[in-house]
Amino acid sequence: MKFLRKLILWLVLAPIAIVLAMQLYFVVQIWWWKDHNPSSTSFMDRQLSILREKDPKAQLKHKWVPYNRISNHLKRAIIAAEDANFSEHEGVDWEAMQRAYEKNLKKGKVVAGGSTITQQLAKNLFLSGERSYLRKAQEVAITYMLEYMMDKERIFEIYLNVVEWGVGVFGAEAAAQHYYGISAAQLGPAQAARLAVMLPRPRFYDKNRGSAYLARRTDLILRRMGAADLP
């Protein structure tokens, strides 16, 4: 009986200890990234692994550039397209998440997440692309860690440098080079709006650049960019 109680206690405490250890790892990593640039992310590692299944010599297209060397047009376009309240919220837009939850209920499965820019960064840095409420809960926890330990500009700088923009393409500099043959600093309004619209499905739009939806959505984001507040 004594052994059974110890076994039950261990089975309860072990998962809790593992979860706490993971949260501590996230905190330490985020603290380090306040002043040091990530060289890779969970998403980048996974995509490189997939590419190397077909080509063992495959490499990602990625080059880090400072925040002030990324076009303000691109910054405004992404805020307009992805998270209009980025400069104001504390990391999570609960109304957007509620709308996503209601949409998921109607569909009978998880099809929307309502993620802010900070939540997207949390997912890209540490998590997988799977859609589940357990993963969403971890995403929210990491989001609050990011918002507590970093200012908005640093969060946005990291996001701009690690977000996926195509097949093996990560970050604004690589995207600008890949699609337009210019630096991220040189992106004009229309180019920036088009890149922002690609973010939800970057690999799809990389292969389907003539998409009619992409063109229509780009025009809409162009009209909204002027109202976007930069951190």
Side-chain angles (χ1 to χ4, degrees):
M1 195 67 181
K2 187 176 181 181
F3 171 78
L4 183 59
R5 285 199 300 269
K6 286 184 177 180
L7 178 61
I8 293 173
L9 185 62
W10 184 86
L11 290 174
V12 171
L13 293 180
I16 295 175
I18 292 171
V19 170
L20 291 176
M22 286 179 58
Q23 307 316 304
L24 179 60
Y25 165 76
F26 295 146
V27 168
V28 171
Q29 190 68 78
I30 292 169
W31 172 80
W32 176 255
W33 283 337
K34 285 177 62 178
D35 304 306
H36 300 78
N37 300 328
S39 59
S40 185
T41 68
S42 175
F43 264 43
M44 292 168 70
D45 292 342
R46 186 161 47 258
Q47 286 307 307
L48 181 59
S49 177
I50 292 171
L51 291 174
R52 284 184 173 174
E53 289 177 2
K54 296 181 179 179
D55 178 6
K57 296 182 180 180
Q59 297 291 332
L60 299 180
K61 296 177 181 178
H62 175 244
K63 182 181 179 182
W64 186 281
V65 289
Y67 187 76
N68 60 8
R69 285 175 50 193
I70 299 174
S71 167
N72 282 345
H73 297 306
L74 183 60
K75 297 169 189 172
R76 290 194 174 93
I78 290 174
I79 289 174
E82 295 290 299
D83 187 2
N85 298 318
F86 173 66
S87 297
E88 301 170 5
H89 63 59
E90 297 180 350
V92 178
D93 187 336
W94 292 105
E95 291 184 3
M97 287 186 65
Q98 176 63 30
R99 290 193 297 271
Y101 175 72
E102 292 170 356
K103 184 175 182 180
N104 294 337
L105 283 179
K106 290 181 180 179
K107 295 288 185 178
K109 59 182 179 180
V110 181
V111 296
S115 295
T116 63
I117 285 173
T118 313
Q119 286 176 268
Q120 291 178 44
L121 178 59
K123 178 179 65 177
N124 290 349
L125 287 173
F126 296 112
L127 306 175
S128 70
E130 70 167 320
R131 292 181 180 272
S132 71
Y133 290 116
L134 182 61
R135 198 229 65 190
K136 177 62 71 172
Q138 181 63 82
E139 175 189 299
V140 169
I142 297 172
T143 294
Y144 280 116
M145 296 177 198
L146 286 164
E147 290 277 345
Y148 180 77
M149 300 178 72
M150 296 181 182
D151 60 30
K152 290 284 188 179
E153 184 174 306
R154 180 56 176 167
I155 290 170
F156 203 22
E157 179 182 34
I158 297 176
Y159 175 90
L160 289 163
N161 274 286
V162 304
V163 70
E164 184 181 21
W165 247 303
V167 180
V169 181
F170 287 84
E173 184 70 13
Q177 292 284 351
H178 180 69
Y179 293 105
Y180 301 113
I182 59 177
S183 71
Q186 296 173 303
L187 289 167
Q191 294 167 325
R194 189 174 180 85
L195 286 178
V197 172
M198 295 177 71
L199 285 175
R201 303 178 69 191
R203 277 168 273 160
F204 173 82
Y205 290 123
D206 191 1
K207 296 177 180 179
N208 298 273
R209 302 186 190 186
S211 164
Y213 171 82
L214 185 60
R216 291 195 305 272
R217 179 72 174 167
T218 296
D219 288 339
L220 176 62
I221 297 306
L222 265 171
R223 295 194 294 271
R224 292 180 177 176
M225 284 166 56
D229 293 326
L230 298 183

